[in-house]
Amino acid sequence: MMQDRFTAQIAKVKLDFVALLGEPTTLADLATLDIPTLVLFGQHGPMSTRTVAEELAAALPRAAIRRTPGGHMAPITHAEDVNRAIAAFVGGA
């Protein structure tokens, strides 16, 4: 049953939110990272995910941002597109 599957995962979901909301790193901190960084997001992902990706890419001085087909699970549902974007980035870095 779906409710049982969800209930079994709730402890991990709680820990994910604790880690996310307690993260002290700021965009200003990230702006000091002078490393090539690929920021990927699925074009049909949640607006919050797309916004975070855009904010990260804007903050990181050497970021490349790529939108892939699919949504939040694009690495699984659109693996070929995601892998192609990663390979192109690594090949050009």
Side-chain angles (χ1 to χ4, degrees):
M1 178 198 289
M2 184 62 83
Q3 186 175 8
D4 292 334
R5 290 174 57 196
F6 181 78
T7 302
Q9 297 295 318
I10 199 68
K12 183 190 179 315
V13 171
K14 178 183 175 190
L15 291 174
D16 289 344
F17 274 97
V18 168
L20 176 67
L21 297 175
E23 175 57 51
T25 304
T26 66
L27 289 176
D29 295 329
L30 296 175
T32 67
L33 298 175
D34 188 24
I35 55 173
T37 306
L38 176 61
V39 178
L40 286 174
F41 70 96
Q43 67 184 3
H44 298 294
M47 177 63 76
S48 59
T49 303
R50 297 190 318 258
T51 301
V52 168
E54 291 167 357
E55 294 280 331
L56 282 172
L60 294 163
R62 295 176 59 195
I65 188 166
R66 299 290 179 268
R67 180 181 63 207
T68 64
H72 177 69
M73 298 301 292
I76 295 170
T77 62
H78 293 77
E80 197 171 302
D81 297 299
V82 170
N83 290 338
R84 189 173 22 256
I86 293 169
F89 178 76
V90 171

